[in-house]
Amino acid sequence: MRIVLNGDCVETGDACTVETLLQQLGISRERVAVELNADIVPKGNYEKQLLSDGDKIEIVHFVGGG
Amino acid sequence: MLAEDNRMTQTEDKLIIGGREFTSRLMVGTGKYASFEQTARALEVSGAEIITVAVRRVNLDRSKESLLDYIDLKKYTLLPNTAGCYTADDAVRTCRLAREVGMSDFVKLEVLGDEKTLFPDNEELLKAAKILVAEGFTVLPYCSDDVIVCKKLEDLGCAAVMPLGAPIGSGLGIRNPYNIRIILENVTVPVIVDAGVGSASDAAIAMELGCAGVLMNTAIAGAQDPIAMAEAMKLAVIAGRLSFKAGRIPRKLYANASSPLDGMIG
């Protein structure tokens, strides 16, 4: 299936959760926040939150800023 | 002895924001440094306890190296900002994401009105502040040096107000010290000058006016020697605060001799 990840279309396997997506990307869950179709996904829901075709995912973290 | 007394005064003179106590009154941004190492060193030297960060998409193509790898998170209170947001909705969304990262419920709320000046859109700012306070955030809003806006932000429940000294990154200093004074006389939450500081004397002026703190980024990161400037700012904020607390002499137009007139020779 295809999802929109941080503005880019990407292909993922079926039955992909937020947790598996983060693992595939090599991103530590500790220092990020995830939005699914403009709603926050609480960290406690990463394992059970399944992604669907066409979902829009945002993964953000802290960068230098003023 | 006097120096010791002063030091004691300084450590007892806590800044309290959102129920948390801070010793340093200098808040520092983490943008625009040449490297993460330089950022970390400048933060260390500045003595800042509150540091701002921005919330941005994880870059999926590049190295996973992150600013936070270089920073001792136990030492600092992170103050995520909403830089680049032009609507209340975007700012609120950014704050929710920032809190979900899980390190702080402090947010530096900025809602910009214009790309050229980066002046705040006060209408959107107030709208966002109301929502965020209701959601339990500790809101520190970057705002105009306008007492009416500051009072409204205080009334909404913001933990501090952060009027600008001059446009962000301009280094023009405190352009309207009288407005800052009026704000100081009319709000009870901490007043922190955010933006506009260019040199150590600007920071000292903000503190001498009676501000609770100063927040800056470019003044340090953009200096020719950011580490030296970080130290200069640390000392300026301490000096300015002590000067304010000490109570300056009144300004007079004519001279008033420092040496006694009695006992002159001849």
Side-chain angles (χ1 to χ4, degrees), chain B residues 26-44:
Chain B
L26 172 60
M27 286 149 236
V28 173
T30 56
K32 295 185 177 175
Y33 287 92
S35 64
F36 289 142
E37 288 88 349
Q38 191 187 56
T39 316
R41 185 83 191 110
L43 294 180
E44 177 82 37

Side-chain angles (χ1 to χ4, degrees), chain B residues 137-160:
Chain B
F137 285 90
T138 301
V139 182
L140 289 79
Y142 154 74
C143 58
S144 305
D145 57 349
D146 172 339
V147 69
I148 308 301
V149 171
C150 288
K151 276 180 72 69
K152 285 184 180 181
L153 289 163
E154 176 178 48
D155 290 346
L156 285 174
C158 291

Side-chain angles (χ1 to χ4, degrees), chain B residues 175-197:
Chain B
R175 298 320 302 150
N176 198 334
Y178 301 102
N179 270 15
I180 301 291
R181 273 178 59 187
I182 292 171
I183 294 165
L184 284 161
E185 285 188 9
N186 288 282
V187 305
T188 53
V189 291
V191 176
I192 296 158
V193 162
D194 176 9
V197 164

Side-chain angles (χ1 to χ4, degrees), chain B residues 22-80:
Chain B
F22 302 95
T23 304
S24 170
R25 291 173 179 272
L26 172 60
M27 286 149 236
V28 173
T30 56
K32 295 185 177 175
Y33 287 92
S35 64
F36 289 142
E37 288 88 349
Q38 191 187 56
T39 316
R41 185 83 191 110
L43 294 180
E44 177 82 37
V45 169
S46 77
E49 293 164 293
I50 300 177
I51 60 170
T52 64
V53 291
V55 179
R56 291 291 180 269
R57 284 171 165 169
V58 168
N59 194 326
L60 303 169
D61 302 328
R62 289 193 208 150
S63 145
K64 298 291 188 298
E65 198 167 62
S66 138
L67 168 69
L68 298 190
D69 295 331
Y70 287 80
I71 290 172
D72 181 355
L73 294 167
K74 288 189 214 86
K75 273 178 62 178
Y76 302 105
T77 294
L78 295 188
L79 180 60

Side-chain angles (χ1 to χ4, degrees), chain B residues 27-262:
Chain B
M27 286 149 236
V28 173
T30 56
K32 295 185 177 175
Y33 287 92
S35 64
F36 289 142
E37 288 88 349
Q38 191 187 56
T39 316
R41 185 83 191 110
L43 294 180
E44 177 82 37
V45 169
S46 77
E49 293 164 293
I50 300 177
I51 60 170
T52 64
V53 291
V55 179
R56 291 291 180 269
R57 284 171 165 169
V58 168
N59 194 326
L60 303 169
D61 302 328
R62 289 193 208 150
S63 145
K64 298 291 188 298
E65 198 167 62
S66 138
L67 168 69
L68 298 190
D69 295 331
Y70 287 80
I71 290 172
D72 181 355
L73 294 167
K74 288 189 214 86
K75 273 178 62 178
Y76 302 105
T77 294
L78 295 188
L79 180 60
N81 68 29
T82 60
C85 291
Y86 284 81
T87 65
D89 285 348
D90 280 350
V92 168
R93 185 180 174 195
T94 303
C95 289
R96 288 175 182 152
L97 281 165
R99 183 159 68 178
E100 187 55 30
V101 173
M103 293 174 195
S104 181
D105 64 358
F106 275 46
V107 284
K108 171 181 160 177
L109 176 63
E110 54 178 282
V111 188
L112 304 174
D114 169 54
E115 283 180 24
K116 196 170 178 182
T117 59
L118 301 179
F119 281 147
D121 181 329
N122 292 314
E123 194 181 351
E124 291 294 300
L125 181 69
L126 290 163
K127 209 165 110 186
K130 191 173 182 179
I131 297 167
L132 293 167
V133 169
E135 292 186 13
F137 285 90
T138 301
V139 182
L140 289 79
Y142 154 74
C143 58
S144 305
D145 57 349
D146 172 339
V147 69
I148 308 301
V149 171
C150 288
K151 276 180 72 69
K152 285 184 180 181
L153 289 163
E154 176 178 48
D155 290 346
L156 285 174
C158 291
V161 290
M162 304 207 293
L164 54 85
I168 293 172
S170 69
L172 289 173
I174 315 298
R175 298 320 302 150
N176 198 334
Y178 301 102
N179 270 15
I180 301 291
R181 273 178 59 187
I182 292 171
I183 294 165
L184 284 161
E185 285 188 9
N186 288 282
V187 305
T188 53
V189 291
V191 176
I192 296 158
V193 162
D194 176 9
V197 164
S199 66
S201 55
D202 295 334
I205 286 169
M207 297 310 295
E208 284 184 326
L209 286 169
C211 290
V214 183
L215 198 167
M216 65 182 74
N217 188 341
T218 309
I220 296 175
Q224 287 189 27
D225 183 343
I227 309 304
M229 190 57 89
E231 185 170 16
M233 292 301 183
K234 172 189 174 173
L235 297 173
V237 167
I238 293 170
R241 179 68 180 173
L242 283 172
S243 173
F244 168 70
K245 300 274 280 187
R248 59 153 299 145
I249 58 163
R251 288 180 170 86
K252 280 182 268 180
L253 190 57
Y254 293 102
N256 186 357
S258 302
S259 305
L261 297 175
D262 290 345

